[in-house]
Amino acid sequence: MKLSSPSTNFLAMDIAKRSERLRTALRAAQCDALLVTRRPNVQYLTGFTGSAGVVFFGPDELVLVTDGRYQTQANEQLEKAGVLGTIEITGPSKTQEQIVSDLASQYSKIGLESEGVTWAEQQKWAKSLGANKLVSTNSVVETLRLTKEPAEVERIRAACSIADTALRDLLPMLATSPTEREFAMALEIGMRQGGASGISFDSIVASGPNGAKPHARPSDKAIKKDELVVIDFGCVVDGYCSDMTRTVSVDDPGSKATHLWSVVQESQAAGRSAVRAGVSCREVDRACRDIIDNAGWGNEFSHGTGHGVGLEIHEAPRVSYASDEVLEAGYIVTVEPGVYLPGVGGVRLEDTVVVTENGCEALTEFPKFLTAS
């Protein structure tokens, strides 16, 4: 099959402008400078996609510290992003800790991302920078990432479209009774052939009783024609993720499974209708959960209703009964209620949507139907 690529005519991302927003956030966090260690945050601020690197970010400087494997790539990506920063390359005479320590010497308070370091890493930085200098920061860059720029929405939309197409093209395969693993592999290959750079998470294909496990791994079980099949998958385009779940059956799965699917469909529609700027994530979760509670399956809806999507497949905000976050225009979230019944199977239906002032727009467009034949 011929490989294809998504449009390369994406809107340009204004990566350089993100530094201005971060400087404002840095002052609010009461830090003189910030050490950025989480890879998605490094990419967000610089456009750099290498597997090793940190950013030292100060009031008037941005320094990417990486190693020699990425010297050429780092220069190319920062230049393409229009980021006015410098690049420091580690080596035997200049370790990462030494470079960062030299950069931090002029500052008294250095922010360290609390979500991005282990205890051992915190101890390492405390030793090299001085424990009295370190300030724990919470979601400083992640908060900037919440509201997606139009160029980011465009990339997520492209990833969703590739996933939509892969499922549309491969759905007839279910009638041939493939194994869960075979169908998952075909989906992943289809998305790559459609232009994705990779998958955004390990695909879930769970048929029959396996569907009662929300995060079941594809197995060698053959998919039968009269059972529910939960298909949860996504891909990456230019660093941005997609996420979608559909539950189908080749033939009639029976009255109980059909009723279950209808309840979850109603729940998911209610959740989507609740999404708009100014609405709390808890309210969206409640809209979904009320439908399922009223059907008598409240205890079988065992997870939150959704999550943010962007450079990471799971990022803020959480759409959950435990969340205090409020949606704003430009947020991208999933709405994915599910019910899981041992011995029967499960149903989950999920869309990725972008929040607007008056509602939301679905970026996943594949239709929802139970019978795939």
Side-chain angles (χ1 to χ4, degrees):
M1 186 180 294
K2 184 179 179 181
L3 297 177
S4 62
S5 299
S7 170
T8 56
N9 298 319
F10 290 131
L11 293 170
M13 291 190 289
D14 195 354
I15 296 176
K17 194 172 182 179
R18 296 168 182 170
S19 291
E20 300 174 19
R21 296 165 56 210
L22 179 56
R23 287 192 173 94
T24 300
L26 201 59
R27 289 191 292 271
Q30 299 183 326
C31 296
D32 301 317
L34 178 68
L35 180 59
V36 181
T37 60
R38 295 197 65 232
R39 284 174 54 191
N41 291 344
V42 170
Q43 181 178 349
Y44 183 77
L45 294 172
T46 66
F48 175 66
T49 60
S51 64
V54 300
V55 167
F56 186 85
F57 189 88
D60 301 303
E61 63 186 332
L62 183 156
V63 182
L64 172 65
V65 183
T66 186
D67 62 56
R69 295 171 298 167
Y70 294 113
Q71 185 163 11
T72 300
Q73 177 182 333
N75 279 287
E76 290 175 348
Q77 290 185 318
L78 265 67
E79 182 179 358
K80 182 179 178 181
V83 172
L84 298 177
T86 58
I87 298 169
E88 292 280 354
I89 301 299
T90 62
S93 61
K94 290 194 304 182
T95 67
Q96 184 184 77
E97 291 84 355
Q98 289 169 332
I99 292 172
V100 173
S101 180
D102 289 343
L103 292 168
S105 61
Q106 61 181 307
Y107 302 110
S108 59
K109 294 296 181 183
I110 310 298
L112 189 63
E113 297 177 304
S114 60
E115 302 94 338
V117 294
T118 63
W119 176 252
E121 289 168 330
Q122 189 274 342
Q123 292 293 293
K124 176 187 74 174
W125 291 116
K127 181 178 179 181
S128 61
L129 301 181
N132 62 323
K133 278 192 171 188
L134 293 184
V135 176
S136 176
T137 64
N138 183 36
S139 300
V140 174
V141 180
E142 287 85 352
T143 298
L144 302 182
R145 289 169 46 196
L146 277 167
T147 302
K148 304 301 189 287
E149 304 162 11
E152 295 178 286
V153 176
E154 186 179 40
R155 285 157 174 79
I156 297 171
R157 189 191 305 275
C160 290
S161 178
I162 288 172
D164 285 343
T165 299
L167 183 58
R168 180 200 67 199
D169 292 347
L170 289 165
L171 207 58
M173 180 181 174
L174 290 177
T176 67
S177 297
T179 67
E180 295 169 345
R181 197 187 316 275
E182 287 169 342
F183 192 76
M185 289 177 61
L187 267 179
E188 292 171 13
I189 292 169
M191 289 186 288
R192 284 187 176 272
Q193 289 172 330
S197 61
I199 57 174
S200 48
F201 58 95
D202 290 339
S203 301
I204 296 170
V205 177
S207 61
N210 287 345
K213 296 175 283 187
H215 277 190
R217 292 183 177 275
S219 71
D220 290 325
K221 175 190 175 300
I223 297 172
K224 298 178 182 179
K225 294 183 179 181
D226 59 351
E227 60 187 3
L228 296 168
V229 187
V230 179
I231 306 168
D232 187 351
F233 67 111
C235 65
V236 179
V237 170
D238 201 22
Y240 286 83
C241 300
S242 73
D243 194 359
M244 178 173 70
T245 308
R246 294 294 184 262
T247 301
V248 298
S249 178
V250 175
D251 292 328
D252 183 0
S255 59
K256 185 171 185 177
T258 299
H259 177 54
L260 174 60
W261 191 94
S262 297
V263 168
V264 174
Q265 182 193 36
E266 183 182 358
S267 169
Q268 206 265 346
R272 276 186 51 172
S273 295
V275 172
R276 62 175 48 81
V279 171
S280 73
C281 292
R282 183 182 284 112
E283 289 178 76
V284 177
D285 181 88
R286 188 74 264 162
C288 289
R289 205 165 294 277
D290 281 347
I291 302 294
I292 293 172
D293 281 345
N294 291 338
W297 287 319
N299 291 335
E300 283 70 45
F301 181 10
S302 54
H303 52 75
T305 287
H307 54 85
V309 176
L311 287 169
E312 297 176 276
I313 191 59
H314 291 105
E315 57 182 51
R318 290 185 306 151
V319 184
S320 163
Y321 50 84
S323 174
D324 294 323
E325 296 165 286
V326 175
L327 298 174
E328 294 184 16
Y331 285 16
I332 291 182
V333 298
T334 65
V335 181
E336 51 176 307
V339 175
Y340 311 93
L341 305 178
V344 176
V347 175
R348 184 165 63 252
L349 296 170
E350 173 188 24
D351 286 312
T352 298
V353 304
V354 57
V355 181
T356 66
E357 292 292 345
N358 299 313
C360 68
E361 177 191 357
L363 302 179
T364 45
E365 298 183 342
F366 192 85
K368 301 179 189 72
F369 47 77
L370 173 57
T371 304
S373 58

